[in-house]
Amino acid sequence: MKILMDERGKKYLLKEDREFQTDLGIIKKEQMERATIGDEVITHLGKKYKIIKPTVNDFIDLMDRRCSILIQKDIGVVLAHTGLGAGDRVIDAGTGAGAIALNFGNVVGEKGKVFSYEIREDFAQVAKKNIDDFGITNIEIKNKDIKQGIDEEEIDLVFLDLPKPFEIFEDVYKNLRLGGWLAVYAPYIQQAEISYKISKKVGFSDIKILETLEREMEVRPQGTRPKTRMVGHSGYLIFSRKL
Amino acid sequence: MKILMDERGKKYLLKEDREFQTDLGIIKKEQMERATIGDEVITHLGKKYKIIKPTVNDFIDLMDRRCSILIQKDIGVVLAHTGLGAGDRVIDAGTGAGAIALNFGNVVGEKGKVFSYEIREDFAQVAKKNIDDFGITNIEIKNKDIKQGIDEEEIDLVFLDLPKPFEIFEDVYKNLRLGGWLAVYAPYIQQAEISYKISKKVGFSDIKILETLEREMEVRPQGTRPKTRMVGHSGYLIFSRKL
Amino acid sequence: MKILMDERGKKYLLKEDREFQTDLGIIKKEQMERATIGDEVITHLGKKYKIIKPTVNDFIDLMDRRCSILIQKDIGVVLAHTGLGAGDRVIDAGTGAGAIALNFGNVVGEKGKVFSYEIREDFAQVAKKNIDDFGITNIEIKNKDIKQGIDEEEIDLVFLDLPKPFEIFEDVYKNLRLGGWLAVYAPYIQQAEISYKISKKVGFSDIKILETLEREMEVRPQGTRPKTRMVGHSGYLIFSRKL
Amino acid sequence: MKILMDERGKKYLLKEDREFQTDLGIIKKEQMERATIGDEVITHLGKKYKIIKPTVNDFIDLMDRRCSILIQKDIGVVLAHTGLGAGDRVIDAGTGAGAIALNFGNVVGEKGKVFSYEIREDFAQVAKKNIDDFGITNIEIKNKDIKQGIDEEEIDLVFLDLPKPFEIFEDVYKNLRLGGWLAVYAPYIQQAEISYKISKKVGFSDIKILETLEREMEVRPQGTRPKTRMVGHSGYLIFSRKL
């Protein structure tokens, strides 16, 4: 995977098999094929494009994202709280366009594995294409209702973004490794509460409901201050551990 | 690395080469040697201990931590904002007891590498021991002042937790790969401002100062509510990208 | 009402009818009687005390406060959101030690009136004494269960800090003036939700649930930053208007 | 002062000396003259309007507001932290359209007084008209640069919303009563810092910099959650007391 970035900072996925046409001119198919990360390529109008190795975030920004995705601050909480690392085995449901699966796949690396369950065929197709485009091989998209059963065992992290996640907590508990984490994303407080209570009933430990507020600071000539507008809420994250 | 957990949820690092004595009784050296993840071992008083594969967070909780460490919510912001992943090359300074290096090492995996600069020899020693204990081989502790120069090139992420991080931004810029990130932790707003301004001057793009507030929700019999006390501030995180 | 403040900033209620003994020496009864606001009085050990006209907050800090009181940030939200002013008529329940009644009495002034309902006789007694001590005459403490009925009409603001405030919303609606406000303090989200729904059912308009987070900034020689600890939650405030 | 409210909740200032034309029909001058608070008046198209006594907030929403005004959450912090009450004497600068003066005038009542300094004649004119329209007589708008000197003494609260408020802190100190408060509104952290430091130098006590975040909760059929968007920052409030 490579991206092209023009002088204004605008980014594009680089497709090696075709000519690239922009408002700053044309880059020929041959140029695209030969472009290596770190290179500069020049359009027929003389404009420069840099070839950059994308981070997973660059790619997610540019990919087909037809359903809403978890925002970065919440992904950060999941990664940090569960201590997810290279080599881990993760389940997520539902896949959506595959953004969170890409985030997990990016962290667990070649020795790890992500199994991503999606009930809708159209979403599963989009996710598969996105994952192929990013060129990562450790994510398996499963077009299957996770409520029908979880096929994998000894899982380090199960992440659920479902309307009624708690319906499968017993199954999740069985399929987690000892010490593994369940993480649930829930926009409404009632979902968080029920998740908390059912986690407890099913036998999970270290149960916590967290929410984060992220604020950006502005440095202006007149002085420094937080930005006027911010995101007030994305969702609650409920963490439970099998111990 | 393995940890022992008793029935009360109390955790200990498992040392295979010695007998383990607790208030719940003794586990013999032979038991310790043979213990496999997932097993239960029993003390001479009949108490059970589970053997668990620790997450990086379990280990950091138990290791020698003689200097303050970055809190989880801030590690999450760094991981999520920079999109750090398996195979990436990271520099961090100062090492302290090695907690953040462990977090990075955990994510970048065997194909990645962490170079951690620490000016104080005593901290470097502690960090080395902690890293050995965790059994990770992709972290190199360098007992060296990072202001004397950065030895590595084509770095994906440089993370600085230093009193005057901005003194080395030019060097950092040179040693980052195209598309790489500089992330700075700064408890005071003035450090954040100067970091912002010097990042800009040095040529960085996509510069942002972020702070997060994390709040826990309590589910009680009477109802649900945020916890009464919370952390009001840990620090600002300043992100800048080489593009 | 007057208060005494020593050179360390420590404050005391001034009682004119008695000698005052502190660790900085004795002030005689005659001195206490003659002390006027703005004066300095001197103990037999030569230590100075200033005589100050207290704000309502000074008084509340010093008075008998045997039950928990609404914190300042929440009082501020009530005052600002309802636009309470001099001359307004207010009902509050339960009184507790009378702090919120004092806050309201302080704002509505001589032309206004506060009717404060308290079911427990001991609390009502404490509140009466506190109000007498502060020397305000526009607050009437009623040792009565507000669920037995509200006696006053054409009220500008009804403030409820009760376990099930919503049980009396119909009554409140009847006794408010057109344009008057109901404000409810609720620590739990469920109380806030039910209050919201019943307000709507009873016919209230402009219904809002608000919560505020207040953070203090520290100015230190090394720099400026928010305080490390802060209050994470006191309660939700639910506002509904009769229109 | 009276306001008219139609069946959709839309509000208008009632002017007794003229016919009132809306999209819901005409109310005759005679009807307007006779309208009493609590009445309903009917347009020639048969639509009802309620006559309501406005709160100060209703009036500020409807008045000529050509400059930005302090938001409610910040007014609340000022009122609550300083314990402003009926009978108090307040200075504010600059007046702007008079909103904060109206808030103060509303609280201090007939026995209190607000002196509002505004350097620009056009703003002073607008503010005077607004105050006349609201029908409050305890506010004096002074078309004068407060840096030229403060005329009033024994003030309970001085509120400054100026670019460099700290230039007059010495003067403010002199003109406050013992126990009186200085409150400063500052959007930028640097203004807050300097205000903090100069307050200290000038001799003020109990100096605090506060900021508040206000969040609204939504009750929907699917569940309850904080609103997606919120105000991230309005300003810092710096409080200092003369003791």
Side-chain angles (χ1 to χ4, degrees):
Chain A
M1 241 286 56
K2 299 163 201 162
I3 57 172
L4 290 154
M5 191 183 68
D6 67 25
E7 291 162 6
R8 301 161 303 190
K10 223 175 153 187
K11 291 171 227 161
Y12 307 85
L13 293 182
L14 184 152
K15 315 255 174 173
E16 298 178 358
D17 59 349
R18 68 194 76 163
E19 190 181 88
F20 179 58
Q21 303 185 345
T22 66
D23 58 336
L24 302 180
I26 293 166
I27 302 173
K28 288 192 195 139
K29 191 182 157 192
E30 302 84 71
Q31 288 175 290
M32 298 291 273
E33 282 169 0
R34 269 179 293 130
T36 325
I37 282 161
D39 282 1
E40 272 184 7
V41 287
I42 297 177
T43 69
H44 81 290
L45 297 177
K47 298 294 185 182
K48 286 185 210 155
Y49 276 76
K50 288 181 185 170
I51 311 297
I52 301 175
K53 180 185 123 188
T55 67
V56 69
N57 294 332
D58 289 323
F59 179 76
I60 291 169
D61 283 348
L62 295 172
M63 77 182 196
D64 178 350
R65 253 163 52 165
R66 64 191 63 190
C67 35
S68 72
I69 66 167
L70 204 64
I71 66 175
Q72 259 175 32
K73 73 175 183 70
D74 294 322
I75 294 167
V77 178
V78 174
L79 296 180
H81 195 80
T82 64
L84 192 72
D88 283 350
R89 290 159 55 83
V90 180
I91 285 172
D92 91 275
T95 309
I100 191 76
L102 281 165
N103 280 290
F104 292 144
N106 178 54
V107 165
V108 301
E110 283 175 31
K111 297 229 169 161
K113 183 87 189 178
V114 180
F115 306 94
S116 187
Y117 286 73
E118 173 57 55
I119 194 170
R120 282 180 57 170
E121 205 190 327
D122 54 342
F123 284 175
Q125 289 307 330
V126 170
K128 269 179 197 168
K129 191 177 167 308
N130 283 332
I131 282 150
D132 283 349
D133 282 352
F134 190 53
I136 199 167
T137 57
N138 60 2
I139 302 173
E140 184 184 334
I141 304 294
K142 307 180 75 158
N143 182 198
K144 184 182 162 181
D145 183 0
I146 196 169
K147 291 181 190 164
Q148 303 303 318
I150 299 175
D151 308 321
E152 298 77 18
E153 292 182 347
E154 288 297 304
I155 297 297
D156 293 280
L157 168 63
V158 173
F159 175 81
L160 302 178
D161 178 1
L162 300 170
K164 297 188 176 177
F166 34 81
E167 292 177 346
I168 58 165
F169 282 5
E170 270 192 71
D171 246 31
V172 168
Y173 190 86
K174 258 180 282 164
N175 292 273
L176 281 174
R177 72 160 175 95
L178 188 66
W181 283 99
L182 164 63
V184 169
Y185 167 79
Y188 295 101
I189 186 64
Q190 285 82 1
Q191 294 168 306
E193 270 179 335
I194 301 176
S195 294
Y196 182 97
K197 287 176 181 168
I198 295 191
S199 285
K200 210 166 188 173
K201 213 169 144 191
V202 164
F204 281 104
S205 304
D206 292 354
I207 310 169
K208 266 197 184 172
I209 304 176
L210 297 178
E211 67 162 338
T212 51
L213 289 166
E214 185 180 87
R215 201 162 64 151
E216 193 178 338
M217 301 293 286
E218 286 182 316
V219 178
R220 299 190 196 172
Q222 315 94 292
T224 299
R225 49 171 286 170
K227 280 210 166 177
T228 301
R229 303 293 302 173
M230 66 184 274
V231 172
H233 182 71
S234 51
Y236 300 99
L237 289 164
I238 306 95
F239 294 97
S240 324
R241 195 170 189 194
K242 177 175 177 177
L243 281 178
Chain B
M1 243 283 59
K2 299 164 202 161
I3 56 173
L4 289 155
M5 193 183 67
D6 68 23
E7 290 162 7
R8 301 160 302 187
K10 221 175 157 188
K11 290 170 230 163
Y12 307 85
L13 292 183
L14 183 152
K15 316 252 175 177
E16 297 179 358
D17 59 348
R18 68 194 75 163
E19 190 181 270
F20 179 60
Q21 303 186 345
T22 67
D23 58 336
L24 302 180
I26 293 166
I27 303 174
K28 288 190 196 140
K29 193 183 158 194
E30 303 85 71
Q31 288 175 292
M32 297 293 271
E33 280 168 1
R34 268 179 293 128
T36 325
I37 282 162
D39 281 3
E40 272 184 6
V41 289
I42 297 176
T43 69
H44 82 290
L45 297 177
K47 298 294 183 182
K48 285 184 210 155
Y49 276 77
K50 287 181 186 171
I51 311 297
I52 301 177
K53 180 185 124 190
T55 67
V56 69
N57 294 332
D58 289 323
F59 180 75
I60 291 170
D61 282 349
L62 296 173
M63 76 182 197
D64 178 350
R65 255 164 48 162
R66 63 188 67 192
C67 34
S68 73
I69 66 166
L70 204 64
I71 65 175
Q72 261 178 29
K73 73 175 181 71
D74 294 322
I75 294 167
V77 178
V78 174
L79 296 180
H81 195 80
T82 65
L84 193 72
D88 284 348
R89 288 160 55 83
V90 181
I91 285 172
D92 90 276
T95 309
I100 191 77
L102 282 165
N103 279 290
F104 292 145
N106 179 54
V107 165
V108 301
E110 285 176 31
K111 297 227 168 163
K113 183 87 189 177
V114 180
F115 307 94
S116 188
Y117 287 73
E118 173 57 56
I119 196 171
R120 284 180 56 170
E121 205 189 327
D122 54 341
F123 284 175
Q125 290 308 331
V126 171
K128 269 180 200 168
K129 191 180 168 305
N130 282 333
I131 282 150
D132 283 350
D133 282 354
F134 190 53
I136 199 166
T137 58
N138 60 1
I139 302 174
E140 184 183 334
I141 304 292
K142 307 180 75 157
N143 182 198
K144 186 182 160 180
D145 183 359
I146 195 168
K147 289 179 191 167
Q148 303 303 317
I150 300 174
D151 308 322
E152 298 78 18
E153 293 182 347
E154 289 294 305
I155 296 297
D156 293 281
L157 168 63
V158 174
F159 175 80
L160 302 178
D161 178 1
L162 300 170
K164 296 186 177 180
F166 33 80
E167 293 178 344
I168 58 164
F169 282 6
E170 270 192 69
D171 246 32
V172 168
Y173 190 86
K174 258 180 281 164
N175 293 273
L176 280 174
R177 73 160 175 93
L178 188 66
W181 282 100
L182 164 62
V184 169
Y185 167 79
Y188 294 102
I189 186 66
Q190 285 82 358
Q191 297 167 304
E193 269 180 335
I194 302 177
S195 294
Y196 183 96
K197 287 176 181 170
I198 294 192
S199 284
K200 211 167 186 171
K201 215 170 142 190
V202 163
F204 280 105
S205 305
D206 291 357
I207 311 168
K208 268 196 182 171
I209 305 176
L210 295 178
E211 68 162 339
T212 51
L213 290 166
E214 186 179 87
R215 200 160 63 151
E216 193 178 338
M217 302 292 288
E218 287 182 317
V219 178
R220 299 191 197 170
Q222 315 93 294
T224 300
R225 48 169 290 171
K227 279 210 168 178
T228 299
R229 303 291 302 171
M230 66 184 273
V231 173
H233 182 72
S234 50
Y236 301 99
L237 288 164
I238 306 94
F239 295 97
S240 323
R241 197 171 188 194
K242 177 175 178 177
L243 280 178
Chain C
M1 241 289 56
K2 298 164 202 159
I3 57 173
L4 290 155
M5 192 183 67
D6 68 25
E7 292 161 6
R8 302 162 301 189
K10 222 175 156 188
K11 291 170 227 162
Y12 307 84
L13 292 182
L14 184 154
K15 316 253 172 173
E16 297 179 359
D17 58 348
R18 67 194 75 162
E19 191 181 88
F20 179 60
Q21 304 185 346
T22 66
D23 57 337
L24 302 180
I26 293 166
I27 303 172
K28 289 192 192 136
K29 191 181 158 195
E30 303 84 72
Q31 288 174 291
M32 297 292 273
E33 281 168 1
R34 269 179 294 128
T36 325
I37 282 161
D39 281 3
E40 272 185 5
V41 288
I42 295 176
T43 69
H44 83 289
L45 297 176
K47 298 293 183 185
K48 285 185 211 154
Y49 277 77
K50 288 180 183 171
I51 312 295
I52 301 176
K53 180 185 123 190
T55 66
V56 69
N57 294 333
D58 289 323
F59 179 76
I60 290 170
D61 282 348
L62 296 172
M63 75 184 198
D64 178 349
R65 254 164 49 163
R66 65 187 66 189
C67 33
S68 72
I69 67 166
L70 205 62
I71 67 175
Q72 261 176 30
K73 73 176 183 72
D74 294 323
I75 294 166
V77 177
V78 174
L79 295 180
H81 195 82
T82 64
L84 193 73
D88 283 348
R89 290 160 53 85
V90 180
I91 284 172
D92 91 276
T95 308
I100 191 77
L102 281 165
N103 278 291
F104 291 145
N106 179 52
V107 166
V108 303
E110 284 176 30
K111 298 229 166 160
K113 184 87 191 179
V114 180
F115 307 94
S116 188
Y117 287 73
E118 173 57 55
I119 195 169
R120 284 180 56 170
E121 205 189 329
D122 54 342
F123 284 174
Q125 289 307 330
V126 171
K128 270 180 197 166
K129 190 178 168 307
N130 282 333
I131 281 149
D132 282 351
D133 282 353
F134 190 54
I136 200 168
T137 58
N138 60 2
I139 302 173
E140 184 183 333
I141 304 292
K142 307 180 74 156
N143 182 197
K144 185 183 158 180
D145 183 359
I146 195 169
K147 290 180 190 167
Q148 303 303 317
I150 300 174
D151 307 322
E152 299 78 17
E153 292 181 349
E154 288 296 304
I155 296 298
D156 292 280
L157 168 63
V158 173
F159 175 81
L160 302 179
D161 177 1
L162 300 171
K164 296 187 178 180
F166 35 81
E167 292 178 346
I168 58 165
F169 283 5
E170 270 192 70
D171 245 33
V172 167
Y173 191 86
K174 257 181 279 165
N175 293 272
L176 281 174
R177 73 159 174 93
L178 188 65
W181 283 100
L182 164 62
V184 169
Y185 167 80
Y188 295 102
I189 186 65
Q190 285 82 359
Q191 295 168 305
E193 269 179 335
I194 303 176
S195 294
Y196 183 96
K197 287 176 181 170
I198 296 191
S199 285
K200 208 166 189 175
K201 212 169 143 190
V202 163
F204 280 104
S205 306
D206 292 355
I207 310 169
K208 267 196 184 171
I209 304 176
L210 296 178
E211 67 162 337
T212 52
L213 290 166
E214 186 180 86
R215 201 161 64 150
E216 192 177 339
M217 301 292 287
E218 285 181 317
V219 178
R220 300 191 195 169
Q222 316 95 290
T224 300
R225 48 170 288 169
K227 281 210 167 178
T228 299
R229 301 293 302 172
M230 64 183 275
V231 173
H233 182 71
S234 50
Y236 301 99
L237 289 164
I238 306 95
F239 294 98
S240 324
R241 197 171 188 194
K242 177 175 177 179
L243 281 178
Chain D
M1 242 286 56
K2 298 162 201 162
I3 56 171
L4 289 154
M5 191 183 68
D6 68 24
E7 292 161 6
R8 301 162 304 189
K10 222 174 153 187
K11 291 171 228 162
Y12 307 85
L13 293 183
L14 185 153
K15 316 255 172 172
E16 297 180 357
D17 59 350
R18 67 194 74 162
E19 190 181 271
F20 179 60
Q21 303 185 346
T22 66
D23 58 334
L24 301 180
I26 293 165
I27 303 172
K28 289 193 196 139
K29 193 183 156 191
E30 302 86 70
Q31 289 175 291
M32 296 291 274
E33 282 169 1
R34 269 178 292 129
T36 324
I37 282 160
D39 281 3
E40 273 184 5
V41 289
I42 296 177
T43 70
H44 82 289
L45 296 177
K47 298 294 183 183
K48 284 185 210 156
Y49 276 77
K50 287 181 184 171
I51 312 297
I52 301 176
K53 180 185 123 190
T55 67
V56 69
N57 294 333
D58 289 323
F59 179 75
I60 290 170
D61 282 347
L62 295 172
M63 78 182 195
D64 178 351
R65 255 164 49 164
R66 64 188 66 190
C67 32
S68 73
I69 66 167
L70 204 64
I71 65 174
Q72 260 176 32
K73 73 178 182 68
D74 294 322
I75 293 166
V77 177
V78 174
L79 296 179
H81 195 81
T82 64
L84 192 73
D88 284 348
R89 291 159 54 85
V90 181
I91 285 173
D92 90 276
T95 309
I100 191 77
L102 281 165
N103 279 291
F104 291 145
N106 179 53
V107 165
V108 302
E110 284 176 31
K111 297 228 167 161
K113 184 86 189 177
V114 180
F115 307 94
S116 188
Y117 287 72
E118 173 57 54
I119 196 171
R120 284 180 57 170
E121 207 190 327
D122 54 342
F123 284 174
Q125 289 307 331
V126 170
K128 269 179 198 168
K129 192 179 166 302
N130 282 334
I131 282 150
D132 282 350
D133 281 354
F134 190 53
I136 199 167
T137 57
N138 60 1
I139 302 173
E140 184 183 333
I141 304 292
K142 307 181 75 157
N143 182 198
K144 188 183 158 180
D145 183 359
I146 195 168
K147 291 180 190 167
Q148 302 303 317
I150 299 173
D151 308 321
E152 298 77 18
E153 292 180 347
E154 289 295 305
I155 296 298
D156 293 280
L157 168 63
V158 174
F159 175 80
L160 302 179
D161 177 2
L162 300 171
K164 296 186 177 179
F166 34 80
E167 293 178 345
I168 58 165
F169 282 6
E170 270 193 71
D171 246 35
V172 167
Y173 190 86
K174 258 181 281 164
N175 292 273
L176 281 174
R177 73 162 176 91
L178 188 66
W181 283 99
L182 164 62
V184 169
Y185 167 80
Y188 294 103
I189 185 66
Q190 285 81 0
Q191 296 168 306
E193 271 180 333
I194 302 177
S195 294
Y196 183 96
K197 287 176 180 169
I198 295 192
S199 285
K200 209 164 187 174
K201 212 169 142 192
V202 164
F204 280 104
S205 306
D206 292 356
I207 310 170
K208 266 196 183 172
I209 304 176
L210 297 178
E211 68 162 338
T212 51
L213 289 166
E214 185 180 270
R215 200 160 63 149
E216 192 178 339
M217 302 293 286
E218 287 182 316
V219 178
R220 300 191 195 170
Q222 313 95 292
T224 299
R225 46 170 290 169
K227 278 209 169 179
T228 300
R229 302 291 303 170
M230 67 183 274
V231 173
H233 182 71
S234 50
Y236 301 99
L237 290 164
I238 306 94
F239 294 97
S240 324
R241 196 171 189 194
K242 177 176 177 177
L243 280 178

